[in-house]
Amino acid sequence: MKAKIVLLAAALAAILSAGNASAQTSFGKSSLFNDGWTFILGDVEGASAGTFDDSRWTRVQLPHDWSVKGTLSPANASCTGYLPAGIGWYRKHFSGPRLPEGKVYVYFEGVYNRSSVYLNGHLLGERPSGYASFLYDLTPYLDRSGDNVLAVRVDHSRKADSRFYTGSGIYRNVWLVSAGETHFALWGVGYATRSATAKQAVVAVDSQVEGPLPASAKLALTLRDAAGKVVSKANVRAAAKQVVDLKVPAPHRWDLDDPYLYTLEAVLSAGKEELDRTEVKVGIRTLSFDADTGFALNGINRKVKGVCLHHDAGVLGAVVPEEVWERRLLNLKAIGANAVRTAHNPQTPVFYDLCDRLGLLVMDEAFDEWEFNKKKWVEGWNIGTPAMEGTADFFNEWGERDVTDMVRRDRNHPSIFLWSIGNEVDYPNDPYSHPILDGGNLEFNQPTSGGYKPDAPDAMRIGEIAGRLAARVRAADPSRPVTGALAGVAMSNQTAYPDVVDVVGYNYSESRYAKDHATYPDRILYGSENGMGYDAWKAARDNEFIFGQFVWTGIDYLGESNAWPSRGFYSGLLDLAGNVKPRGRMRAAMWCEEPVCYIGTYPKPQPRPGSRWPMGDSSDAWDTWNYEDGQLIRVVCYTNAAQARLLLDGREVGAMTPFNDATGIIGWDVPYKAGVLKAEGYDADGRKVSEYAIQTALRPAALHAAADRSDLDAGGVVQIAVEVVDDNGCLVPLGDSRITCTVEGPARLLGLESADNTDMGDWTDNVQRAYRGRLLAYVRTGENPGRIKVRFSAPYLKGAEVEITTHK
């Protein structure tokens, strides 16, 4: 019998976590604690003391990433984008008399990294992980009558402790949480779908209570639909830990195209006294995985079309506002993506909220390293000997707690369908080794570095560690499978690793799919990390037993840089500004159900015998039509139409050509002539179903600016797209004007992003060059309402202005 996992939480046994409507702690009353902080870069003696003088420190608003404001230098580590790190201190004064009665906590969504938190000089605790969310009880050390000082030391002195950009500091939200003596535990209210049909769903609500529980304590549960109508409720005697089933008639199930959310209200009371309450968004849906037929959501088989994502946003660093993530995720969904992988660490909480609301599946990943650090370039790129800085020194002490906390914090998100315990921890000889490596290069793009190294760590440890981590995940949440992203499959097949996880991810190992499916018929397989090649997609598309792929990567990111100048890695479907790149258009042709058509161009390449790219660099062909008269230009069409033709000023210059399933591209060679170039896609019966046109751009004449929103509540973020255009309003792809941005009114400029990966200048000011004719401005509006004017100017060009109105 083939392996099949049906995940309806029928074996629900562990405590399920929850999301609070604000802090996502699932208990008490919370408020943002981001204002009024001071900061200094450097390790300052005595800074933890309540009486320390911080009056000369810099005032900052949290979240805050000090690295992205630093100076890019070729002497810094290329692995984290040539930006600095270091040690920093934060302090915040707050009034004791203004605090609520009862217990008071502080909740950090994330601090990178190795944080130590003090209240009035008392050490509350230390958390080395830069991605874990954590809570401290302030109550024992509070001065209820006077001034209190919260101090946070952040030690990111190991500047190259990651292969990609991490940021430095308190880069996620901080919350103040108040509660009575008896309250729900941290992440202590949650749910899972036991079963769901068209007629009825059963939702298991799990709760955990901290503090003394009166004998009269009651737990009231109320589930409301999106319109606020009560659809199910229960009122039971409260216990320290319990599970209560709610029956939901005719459930509206959460799905990719219909991400419907209910609201669960949990109220803990004793007599007439309310002890605590919380709200949780609920998505009712079922998951199943089969070794032969792949993945099904709500009983319907789906092919996962996923992207890997890091957590930065170019010039914004690791502090990415909700609005920025929303635009980026919507752009990914528009080109056919239906899933994301949080490579290679838990994301900010609001990221999962957005995936819940937008209808995107999430593979939530915990680690890029376990007990040993990976090799990283510390000074420059490919210079000297790579260092072994990283986070392995605290893995044995904290790893199991970190993965448990990830699951407990995030499990109430219906978007999450996989828990990943690690990425490429089995890379051959980095660090583990096994005698099978003497067989040669067994993995595509995975060198064995000279074969088996008997002095290296024994690869059999991978299975042992994976087993412990997987057990912790299942104890915290039995409703989803555990997975891992394997880089050295041939080696890992000799260990217990593939057997202790429920679903096995293969990185860049498409050539092994058929072989391993035959050898291990019970193994549930998918591409946990894949290149952009068309063949990699076909390996998932054409094999029912491969339930999907996650391409590297969804968006360009800082770090993993090449030789200077290089801010980051350029493999994304979207650029650093969140704009769709040509390879994103090509992906849309592979993934989208609706008609897709796009044309890009480049000078005809010289033939390269044996090249795996017969169309040249066809995956990144930009939609520009400016060349020398008569120059032979290759025009490539990314389309899902059965056939396409090419027209120049209405005259056919490229004959109707069938779609080429060997390359995924239709192409023509055309002598250049200025005008309007258009591709038309047709179905098999000759009906036109899509088209795409580009035209010759004239000289730059003006700037054009458009905001994603012009009327909003105060305190939000507006994204303004600026283009260099000609007299006809056409984008000038070669426009690289130096653009100045000024803001008037209750708002401030967060940053200007051109998406130029090679620009290593100053990204902290209000002046940037356009790249490929584009620039994106991030503007945060103030807390007070008003009218805002954002102006853009450039030498010799007509300027542009955007007006924004904010309300309370």
Side-chain angles (χ1 to χ4, degrees):
M1 183 176 179
K2 301 294 184 180
K4 184 169 184 174
I5 304 173
V6 180
L7 296 145
L8 303 177
L12 185 69
I15 299 164
L16 300 179
S17 74
N20 185 283
S22 49
Q24 298 197 357
T25 56
S26 81
F27 79 96
K29 296 179 180 179
S30 58
S31 59
L32 278 172
F33 211 47
N34 289 340
D35 296 334
W37 290 79
T38 59
F39 169 74
I40 192 168
L41 184 58
D43 199 5
V44 180
E45 186 177 352
S48 63
T51 56
F52 182 87
D53 181 8
D54 57 18
S55 60
R56 295 187 179 182
W57 288 17
T58 302
R59 295 187 66 83
V60 295
Q61 171 85 16
L62 302 184
H64 176 252
D65 173 7
W66 80 68
S67 282
V68 80
K69 299 297 184 182
T71 301
L72 291 153
S73 169
N76 287 328
S78 62
C79 58
T80 54
Y82 296 103
L83 284 162
I87 298 175
W89 278 89
Y90 296 85
R91 285 170 58 89
K92 178 179 172 65
H93 295 254
F94 59 101
S95 171
R98 295 183 180 180
L99 292 172
E101 295 181 359
K103 298 180 76 66
V104 181
Y105 303 83
V106 63
Y107 178 69
F108 293 87
E109 291 184 359
V111 181
Y112 204 92
N113 63 349
R114 302 174 189 269
S115 65
S116 304
V117 181
Y118 302 83
L119 176 62
N120 299 329
H122 300 278
L123 177 64
L124 299 178
E126 297 174 324
R127 193 64 183 255
S129 170
Y131 301 111
S133 296
F134 53 94
L135 180 89
Y136 294 126
D137 186 355
L138 303 181
T139 314
Y141 306 111
L142 281 174
D143 181 351
R144 294 278 185 175
S145 62
D147 183 54
N148 292 270
V149 179
L150 196 64
V152 182
R153 182 181 185 268
V154 184
D155 182 358
H156 193 194
S157 56
R158 296 166 177 83
K159 62 180 181 179
D161 61 353
S162 173
R163 297 184 298 135
F164 41 88
Y165 182 79
T166 62
S168 300
I170 308 177
Y171 71 106
R172 293 179 181 170
N173 287 322
V174 180
W175 301 83
L176 195 69
V177 183
S178 61
E181 186 69 22
T182 300
H183 56 79
F184 292 119
L186 173 64
W187 311 314
V189 175
Y191 76 94
T193 305
R194 285 197 189 275
S195 61
T197 66
K199 292 183 178 181
Q200 180 178 272
V202 178
V203 176
V205 179
D206 195 286
S207 65
Q208 180 180 4
V209 177
E210 287 188 352
L213 197 60
S216 61
K218 298 288 186 181
L219 174 65
L221 303 173
T222 306
L223 187 68
R224 292 183 172 87
D225 64 16
K229 178 184 176 183
V230 175
V231 297
S232 187
K233 61 191 309 182
N235 197 325
V236 299
R237 182 175 179 177
K241 296 181 181 181
Q242 63 192 124
V243 178
V244 178
D245 283 351
L246 294 179
K247 294 181 179 180
V248 184
H252 193 151
R253 283 174 280 189
W254 185 93
D255 212 328
L256 299 177
D257 297 322
D258 185 14
Y260 189 88
L261 296 172
Y262 293 84
T263 300
L264 172 69
E265 179 187 68
V267 179
L268 183 67
S269 63
K272 294 183 178 181
E273 180 186 4
E274 183 177 293
L275 302 175
D276 201 2
R277 73 163 55 224
T278 191
E279 285 190 354
V280 178
K281 291 296 181 183
V282 170
I284 297 174
R285 52 95 181 106
T286 60
L287 311 171
S288 64
F289 297 79
D290 186 276
D292 286 328
T293 60
F295 165 69
L297 176 64
N298 296 323
I300 300 173
N301 277 83
R302 310 294 179 93
K303 199 64 92 167
V304 170
K305 305 167 183 176
V307 298
C308 302
L309 291 181
H310 281 317
H311 75 162
D312 72 280
V315 68
L316 299 178
V319 181
V320 186
E322 178 180 1
E323 297 90 340
V324 175
W325 268 125
E326 182 172 23
R327 173 176 172 266
R328 289 173 158 224
L329 292 173
L330 285 171
N331 283 348
L332 287 169
K333 191 162 185 177
I335 59 175
N338 62 18
V340 295
R341 173 189 179 204
T342 66
H344 305 290
N345 49 262
Q347 269 279 5
T348 183
V350 73
F351 177 89
Y352 305 97
D353 292 338
L354 286 167
C355 291
D356 292 343
R357 298 201 304 265
L358 299 178
L360 286 162
L361 296 167
V362 177
M363 172 179 164
D364 207 7
E365 191 156 74
F367 306 112
D368 189 45
E369 298 175 338
W370 287 350
E371 62 177 350
F372 294 102
N373 295 320
K374 293 178 179 177
K375 299 171 185 174
K376 308 172 188 73
W377 298 113
V378 176
E379 186 172 343
W381 178 82
N382 203 20
I383 299 173
T385 302
M388 302 294 285
E389 294 185 3
T391 58
D393 60 297
F394 59 79
F395 175 80
N396 287 334
E397 180 180 358
W398 287 92
E400 292 183 33
R401 178 174 174 180
D402 286 343
V403 75
T404 300
D405 284 357
M406 177 189 80
V407 175
R408 283 177 51 79
R409 187 197 71 171
D410 294 344
R411 83 175 62 184
N412 276 349
H413 294 284
S415 55
I416 295 175
F417 79 128
L418 287 171
W419 301 118
S420 172
I421 57 174
N423 170 66
E424 296 187 349
V425 295
D426 62 335
Y427 199 97
N429 288 326
D430 190 11
Y432 296 101
S433 196
H434 189 278
I436 197 173
L437 297 182
D438 278 338
N441 189 353
L442 301 175
E443 308 292 333
F444 170 70
N445 203 28
Q446 306 297 310
T448 60
S449 304
Y452 174 52
K453 296 185 176 181
D455 294 334
D458 185 357
M460 301 306 287
R461 286 193 52 77
I462 299 173
E464 298 172 14
I465 297 170
R468 294 201 303 269
L469 295 176
R472 293 299 294 265
V473 172
R474 295 187 188 104
D477 176 27
S479 74
R480 299 172 178 90
V482 183
T483 188
L486 278 58
V489 179
M491 183 174 74
S492 284
N493 280 344
Q494 308 304 307
T495 77
Y497 191 7
D499 297 320
V500 298
V501 296
D502 306 305
V503 176
V504 185
Y506 281 15
N507 285 11
Y508 309 103
S509 301
E510 297 86 0
S511 63
R512 297 193 64 94
Y513 286 170
K515 175 184 177 181
D516 281 14
H517 178 58
T519 305
Y520 311 101
D522 291 341
R523 184 176 294 180
I524 301 170
L525 294 171
Y526 70 105
S528 44
E529 190 169 314
N530 304 89
M532 291 291 175
Y534 187 55
D535 287 345
W537 165 237
K538 289 200 296 182
R541 183 196 69 183
D542 298 342
N543 289 300
E544 188 180 12
F545 63 88
I546 300 295
F547 69 73
Q549 66 168 180
F550 288 89
V551 298
W552 192 267
T553 177
I555 308 175
D556 290 350
Y557 57 92
L558 300 179
E560 258 186 317
S561 303
N562 286 320
W564 180 279
S566 171
R567 296 164 67 201
F569 208 66
Y570 184 76
S571 66
L573 302 174
L574 311 184
D575 64 23
L576 285 168
N579 301 314
V580 181
K581 293 161 59 177
R583 62 183 59 191
R585 305 293 181 185
M586 185 177 182
R587 187 61 44 174
M590 300 181 204
W591 282 356
C592 286
E593 300 296 329
E594 63 273 12
V596 171
C597 188
Y598 168 92
I599 48 174
T601 68
Y602 49 91
K604 181 182 178 181
Q606 295 297 315
R608 291 183 294 165
S611 170
R612 57 194 295 256
W613 301 108
M615 299 298 294
D617 188 17
S618 54
S619 66
D620 253 339
W622 292 87
D623 52 351
T624 181
W625 193 235
N626 282 79
Y627 296 96
E628 297 292 331
D629 282 342
Q631 184 179 4
L632 195 60
I633 303 302
R634 177 150 290 174
V635 182
V636 292
C637 179
Y638 311 150
T639 184
N640 53 11
Q643 52 189 339
R645 66 172 184 158
L646 188 68
L647 301 97
L648 179 61
D649 289 337
R651 181 177 64 86
E652 184 173 284
V653 293
M656 189 75 76
T657 305
F659 178 79
N660 185 345
D661 198 43
T663 64
I665 296 170
I666 298 172
W668 307 269
D669 292 334
V670 180
Y672 173 74
K673 180 182 178 183
V676 176
L677 189 70
K678 181 170 70 171
E680 295 179 339
Y682 291 80
D683 65 17
D685 296 323
R687 293 184 294 261
K688 187 169 76 170
V689 293
S690 58
E691 63 179 35
Y692 191 89
I694 57 178
Q695 68 182 72
T696 304
L698 306 177
R699 291 181 179 275
L703 299 178
H704 176 266
D708 63 342
R709 295 180 297 165
S710 59
D711 193 277
L712 67 153
D713 292 336
V717 173
V718 177
Q719 298 165 85
I720 306 171
V722 184
E723 294 183 343
V724 179
V725 298
D726 63 16
D727 282 328
N728 297 322
C730 179
L731 174 73
V732 181
L734 299 180
D736 63 349
S737 300
R738 188 174 175 83
I739 298 174
T740 299
C741 173
T742 58
V743 180
E744 294 180 6
R748 62 187 176 94
L749 180 67
L750 294 180
L752 296 171
E753 179 58 72
S754 74
D756 185 355
N757 187 44
T758 64
D759 185 345
M760 310 302 280
D762 184 1
W763 288 91
T764 66
D765 59 14
N766 68 327
V767 181
Q768 294 297 333
R769 284 198 175 276
Y771 179 64
R772 296 192 182 275
R774 291 187 168 94
L775 187 70
L776 185 69
Y778 300 108
V779 175
R780 179 175 289 283
T781 65
E783 296 302 321
N784 296 320
R787 295 179 66 83
I788 301 161
K789 290 186 178 180
V790 186
R791 295 189 175 94
F792 301 93
S793 60
Y796 311 111
L797 302 184
K798 182 180 178 180
E801 181 179 293
V802 169
E803 290 194 3
I804 301 164
T805 302
T806 61
H807 312 276
K808 279 199 173 183

